[in-house]
Amino acid sequence: MARYIALAASKNTLRRIAVGAVVLACTAVLSLTGTAAAAADGTLTPTLSGGTTEDTGITYRTSGPCAVGATTYQLTARGPNGYAEDLNLWSSDPVSITEPFTAHQAAPFAAYGRLLTRGTYTVTLTCTANFGTEVFNSFSTDIYLNSATRWSIWPQPPVPTTVTVSVTPDNPRLAPYHPVTLTATVSPPSAAGRLRFRDGTPLGELWKPVVDGVATTRVSYPLGTRSVVAEFVGTVPEVGDSTSAPLDLLVTDPEPVAVTLERRAAEIVVVGSPFELRATVSPREATGKVYFFFRDTRGLGPVYRADVVGGVATVRDEVPPDLGTYGVVAQFVPPTDRWAVSESAPVPMTIVASSGPATVDITTTVVPGALTISVADQDVVLPPPVLAPDGSLRSTAGSLNPITVTDTRAGNPGWNASGQVTDFAGGADLINGANLGWAPRIVEQSPVQAITAGPRVDPADAIGLTDVAPAGRGLRDSRTMATALALAGNGTARLSADIALKVPTSAPAGTYTARLTLTVI
């Protein structure tokens, strides 16, 4: 039968331990200190692979038991930059002197507001007794703070970065002392850091801010060669450094370009007649624009411009009304400093007025045209009205026969077709015309026409002859059947509408007729 004794523990607690058992009450201290530690007798294994420095409840498993006589353990951590402050984080977990056991870290690494830095930290469990005055064996492990806020059981390399450098204008050959822009592009763009350009001059001493992954500087060089690199340095531990491949620049005088001009027209040309000027640029790979200048003793005359494509620039136009004798030159202007500005020899060209053109008057008359509307079959016969299931009214429905609208008017102003009905008469008996409604539709229109059917108009609900229909109900008032837009009405269109009639039950038997008047304006 097991017997129990009371054993005092930390924090004034009592624990009951079975006699003969090797588990004893213990205290635990987590201390981050820079004090050098002796070599451990065994290893610790964190049960987590990583987390934040604010995490609590981190546990470690020892590789073996504490030595006989140990009653408590102390958990300490030692880190970079002379980290030497004990945190004194206490635990009440038991210690084993017969087998490996689990130790608990009672507080996070960042307890008490300590500022942690990136680096390697050694966590050591030391088996002790008598409140730490007796020290036995120890166990240790390394953890890694990859930033001030995250740790792991293996080192995390900083985020790799890359940097490239370019020059604007994009030309490996630069003119002496001509300002250009060096641009460094860092990837990923979110990488925090600073950057400098190195080229063997004081330029390399100037650090440039990196904004959205880009840093720039303006430079100019004397004759010679330059090899420019961009050096990026991360300003936080999580971001790695990188250096670009070198950008080799040659500062030299521009390469010469030869320009020849060919006049593909007579030397004497008449105002308004066609002419062509063709400039040939050598070497062919030279790119840029050619300006064709008409020069005379008074100064400049007309100027034309053309792009150089495959070593050739051509302008075709009508002779301008600038009378006189000119020396036409072609001037090549490059987009970069690689090529020199060059000019052709002048080619003579004289512009004279014409002797006067022969004229012919051509006359035509645009007739006003007409807008018409017609119906091939004017009679529409509806079926006898049928009594509604609730006995409140009688109703019938049908369709209008096709209606043709033809517009031949000059100016193509567009049109609007509408309809209005009279009351239905059957001898002396009448039915209110507002009880007739319609749903207009476009049957056919010309491809050049833009015609829209008018809105649906519901019939009144079998109102009496003297009653007033609700707003927007019935055809007793004029309603739009179709509309053609301005400049889109000329041509022939065919219209129709589905019609519906609601008849009061008070209407006597008989044949009733109403007249629907269709108007187009």
Side-chain angles (χ1 to χ4, degrees):
M1 180 175 62
R3 291 177 297 153
Y4 297 90
I5 61 174
L7 180 69
S10 64
K11 298 184 180 178
N12 298 321
T13 61
L14 294 177
R15 299 176 62 88
R16 294 192 303 162
I17 308 298
V19 174
V22 296
V23 180
L24 304 178
C26 69
T27 61
V29 180
L30 172 63
S31 166
L32 273 72
T33 175
T35 305
D41 302 295
T43 60
L44 283 177
T45 302
T47 56
L48 297 176
S49 61
T52 75
T53 56
E54 300 288 344
D55 290 342
T56 59
I58 302 172
T59 59
Y60 305 85
R61 187 72 177 171
T62 64
S63 61
C66 281
V68 174
T71 60
T72 65
Y73 65 80
Q74 186 180 31
L75 199 60
T76 64
R78 182 169 55 89
N81 299 329
Y83 198 89
E85 181 177 344
D86 290 340
L87 296 182
N88 297 326
L89 304 178
W90 292 88
S91 172
S92 59
D93 294 319
V95 63
S96 173
I97 59 174
T98 60
E99 60 184 1
F101 61 95
T102 299
H104 293 263
Q105 178 180 319
F109 290 113
Y112 303 112
R114 284 306 303 255
L115 297 177
L116 303 175
T117 60
R118 178 184 176 91
T120 303
Y121 289 72
T122 300
V123 178
T124 302
L125 183 149
T126 304
C127 299
T128 65
N130 295 326
F131 299 99
T133 60
E134 296 182 61
V135 177
F136 296 88
N137 54 329
S138 63
F139 308 87
S140 68
T141 186
D142 285 342
I143 65 168
Y144 304 90
L145 265 63
N146 301 299
S147 70
T149 59
R150 298 203 65 84
W151 69 274
S152 67
I153 61 175
W154 59 84
Q156 299 287 334
V159 174
T161 60
T162 60
V163 59
T164 59
V165 63
S166 61
V167 63
T168 305
D170 184 12
N171 181 15
R173 298 172 63 98
L174 307 179
Y177 301 105
H178 187 84
V180 295
T181 300
L182 296 176
T183 300
T185 303
V186 179
S187 180
S190 59
R194 57 180 184 165
L195 182 143
R196 64 180 175 182
F197 298 90
R198 302 297 298 271
D199 63 354
T201 71
L203 168 72
E205 303 303 319
L206 302 177
W207 289 96
K208 301 295 180 181
V210 179
V211 180
D212 295 330
V214 175
T216 62
T217 189
R218 291 280 285 175
V219 296
S220 61
Y221 296 115
L223 288 172
T225 59
R226 287 289 185 274
S227 183
V228 180
V229 296
E231 294 180 351
F232 173 77
V233 176
T235 53
V236 294
E238 297 84 3
V239 175
D241 305 338
S242 57
T243 301
S244 73
L247 174 66
D248 294 326
L249 302 175
L250 175 61
V251 183
T252 182
D253 290 325
E255 296 183 40
V257 174
V259 183
T260 57
L261 175 60
E262 179 185 359
R263 182 194 64 234
R264 296 194 166 187
E267 182 175 340
I268 300 176
V269 291
V270 176
V271 172
S273 63
F275 76 97
E276 177 181 331
L277 297 173
R278 177 186 176 95
T280 302
V281 176
S282 179
R284 284 174 54 88
E285 60 266 25
T287 59
K289 298 182 183 298
V290 169
Y291 292 82
F292 298 87
F293 295 102
F294 284 64
R295 293 174 178 166
D296 62 10
T297 55
R298 299 166 297 173
L300 287 177
V303 179
Y304 297 86
R305 185 184 67 182
D307 293 327
V308 177
V309 179
V312 174
T314 303
V315 62
R316 298 180 182 90
D317 206 342
E318 293 183 353
V319 176
D322 300 86
L323 305 181
T325 299
Y326 298 92
V328 182
V329 297
Q331 185 182 86
F332 169 73
V333 179
T336 68
D337 297 319
R338 177 180 177 181
W339 310 103
V341 176
S342 307
E343 189 171 289
S344 71
V347 173
M349 192 168 181
T350 300
I351 300 176
V352 298
S354 66
S355 59
T359 60
V360 176
D361 293 330
I362 301 174
T363 303
T364 186
T365 300
V366 178
V367 297
L371 175 64
T372 62
I373 187 169
S374 61
V375 183
D377 185 354
Q378 297 181 343
D379 294 329
V380 177
V381 179
L382 299 177
V386 177
L387 184 66
D390 61 0
S392 61
L393 54 78
R394 299 178 187 274
S395 63
T396 183
S399 298
L400 297 180
N401 295 321
I403 300 157
T404 301
V405 177
T406 301
D407 184 8
T408 61
R409 293 172 298 166
N412 198 4
W415 49 262
N416 181 80
S418 59
Q420 185 174 11
V421 73
T422 64
D423 293 332
F424 286 80
D429 300 315
L430 299 174
I431 298 174
N432 196 323
N435 291 322
L436 181 69
W438 72 4
R441 50 191 169 89
I442 310 301
V443 178
E444 182 181 1
Q445 60 179 308
S446 301
V448 297
Q449 291 181 304
I451 303 173
T452 303
R456 174 191 179 94
V457 178
D458 292 324
D461 291 326
I463 61 176
L465 183 64
T466 60
D467 293 334
V468 178
R473 302 283 288 271
L475 300 182
R476 196 172 190 182
D477 295 326
S478 178
R479 307 294 184 184
T480 299
M481 186 177 197
T483 301
L485 296 178
L487 303 180
N490 280 171
T492 298
R494 302 191 190 286
L495 316 176
S496 184
D498 298 322
I499 57 176
L501 177 65
K502 294 183 178 181
V503 180
T505 56
S506 60
T511 298
Y512 293 78
T513 301
R515 173 160 291 178
L516 176 64
T517 301
L518 300 171
T519 305
V520 62
I521 57 175

